[in-house]
Amino acid sequence: MAPQHNGAPSPALRVPDAPITLSTASVYPEKVPSAFEIASLLGYDGIEVMVSTDASSQDLNVLRRLSDYHQVPIKSIHAPCLLLTQRVWGRDPWGKLVRSKDVAEELGAEVVVVHPPFRWQRDYAKEFVEGLARMQDETDVLFAVENMFPLKARGAEAGMYLPDWNPVDQDYPYVTLDLSHTAVSGSDALDMAGSLGDRLRHIHLADGLGITNKDEHLVPGRGNQPCGTMLENLAEGGFKGHIVLEVNTRRASSRIERMEDLAEALAFARLHLAAAAHTWEVTSAGEVTRRGVRR
C-alpha cells in the first residue's frame, strides 16, 4: 500500500522499467566468463559484451553457453570500436558493425553500442550517418552511438572523431550516454539527456571527476557527475532502455574487492531508480505532492 500522510495518499509507485546490466569491461583484467559469474552472483539483470581482444568476447558459441549456464541474458553488444580492437573482427569498420549486429540477433541482444568514426577513418566517417541509418532499417537491433570526448592540451581541444564526439546534434536515431565521458568533455549530462529525448536508449553508468583527460569510469557516487539525478529522471520518465554499469575495477586487489565495487554500483543504480517512485514532499498545507525532477 502506498504511504499516506494526513489522509492524503502519495502518488502511485512506479516500478523501474530499465534493466541494470554489467559490462564485461567492468571486470578487467579478469575475462568475460568472470563477468557472467559475477553478474549472476550479484543479481544483475544482464550483460553487455564488450567485444575485445579477449577471445571469449568474440565467440558466439562461448557467449551463448555462458549466458545459458549462468542464466544471465546478453542484453547488448559493444562493437569493437576502440583503438586496441582495430583488428578484432577485421579492419573494415562496416564489417565490424555487421558482425556485431549478427551476433546481437543470434543472442537476442537488443542494442549494439557504436562509437563515432575516428578522424582518420575519413571514408567511413563520410558515410557514417547515412550508412548507419540504412543498417538500422534492416534490423530490430538498435545501433546506439555513444558520446565521446575531445582531447585537451594546453587549453586547446583536438577532436578525434567525425562528424563529432557529441551525438546531440547528429542525425542518429539512437544514442548511448556515458557519464564518465561527460566528465571528460565537461558536458552537462542532464542537459544532454534532455536534448536527446526519446533518442536516448542506453546509459553507460559510471562517474568521473573531469580534472584531466583521463576517462575514469569510477563507481557511481565517487565522482562529480549527476548519476543519481540522471537515474531518478529516467525512472520518472518511464525510461525503458538499459542501464549498463561500465566501471573500472582494475585497481581492485582481489576478486572480493572487485565484487564489492560492483555490488556498490548495482545498489546505487537500484536505489536511485527506485527513488523516483518515492520522491514526495509535504507542503505547508499538509498535502503530499511530488518533488520537481529536473529533466
Side-chain angles (χ1 to χ4, degrees), residues 75 143 178:
K75 303 293 288 183
F143 287 98
D178 186 304

Side-chain angles (χ1 to χ4, degrees), residues 27-286:
V27 305
Y28 184 84
E30 294 191 60
K31 304 294 187 180
V32 166
S34 295
F36 280 89
E37 180 183 4
I38 290 172
S40 177
L41 289 171
L42 295 180
Y44 277 83
D45 299 320
I47 281 283
E48 174 168 297
V49 176
M50 169 76 80
V51 180
S52 67
T53 55
D54 177 358
S56 57
S57 73
Q58 306 170 28
D59 191 313
L60 174 65
N61 292 324
V62 169
L63 293 173
R64 182 182 285 117
R65 287 198 297 270
L66 287 168
S67 178
D68 290 345
Y69 178 78
H70 292 286
Q71 290 296 288
V72 176
I74 298 171
K75 303 293 288 183
S76 51
I77 302 292
H78 194 309
C81 304
L82 304 175
L83 287 173
L84 295 176
T85 59
Q86 289 299 290
R87 297 185 180 182
V88 174
W89 287 353
R91 291 181 176 273
D92 176 27
W94 289 115
K96 292 173 183 284
L97 298 193
V98 171
R99 182 74 173 273
S100 299
K101 183 264 295 181
D102 290 345
V103 168
E105 289 177 338
E106 287 288 337
L107 294 173
E110 300 159 11
V111 174
V112 168
V113 178
V114 184
H115 288 184
F118 291 113
R119 293 192 68 86
W120 55 84
Q121 296 175 309
R122 294 192 178 278
D123 291 340
Y124 176 46
K126 188 183 301 182
E127 301 293 332
F128 184 66
V129 176
E130 294 79 7
L132 199 64
R134 287 195 297 269
M135 291 184 68
Q136 187 63 78
D137 288 340
E138 298 171 356
T139 182
D140 291 330
V141 174
L142 307 185
F143 287 98
V145 182
E146 187 170 3
N147 64 303
M148 301 305 291
F149 48 86
L151 294 180
K152 300 175 184 178
R154 299 178 181 178
E157 289 190 358
M160 283 184 61
Y161 302 96
L162 289 175
D164 197 7
W165 59 265
N166 187 341
V168 170
D169 294 328
Q170 305 305 316
D171 194 19
Y172 304 136
Y174 307 111
V175 171
T176 296
L177 182 57
D178 186 304
L179 275 77
S180 178
H181 295 175
T182 58
V184 183
S185 66
S187 305
D188 185 317
L190 298 176
D191 281 350
M192 288 185 74
S195 297
L196 289 168
D198 291 340
R199 294 195 296 152
L200 179 59
R201 293 298 186 92
H202 207 66
I203 300 290
H204 278 171
L205 185 63
D207 217 330
L209 295 169
I211 297 173
T212 67
N213 282 329
K214 186 177 181 182
D215 186 15
E216 297 166 292
H217 284 274
L218 303 177
V219 171
R222 297 183 186 178
N224 58 21
Q225 294 303 286
C227 297
T229 303
M230 175 71 73
L231 292 170
E232 291 170 23
N233 286 5
L234 292 173
E236 174 68 15
F239 181 71
K240 293 181 174 61
H242 302 162
I243 308 295
V244 185
L245 270 302
E246 190 183 76
V247 300
N248 186 343
T249 64
R250 297 178 189 180
R251 294 186 177 181
S253 61
S254 65
R255 163 67 75 87
I256 291 176
E257 185 176 341
R258 174 167 291 111
M259 290 185 65
E260 287 174 347
D261 282 348
L262 296 177
E264 178 183 331
L266 177 59
F268 181 100
R270 285 193 170 147
L271 173 65
H272 286 280
L273 283 176
H278 296 271
T279 307
W280 57 75
E281 63 184 359
V282 180
T283 68
S284 58

Side-chain angles (χ1 to χ4, degrees), residues 1-22:
M1 179 178 296
Q4 296 184 351
H5 181 84
N6 289 346
S10 70
L13 302 185
R14 176 189 292 279
V15 178
D17 298 306
I20 303 172
T21 67
L22 179 66

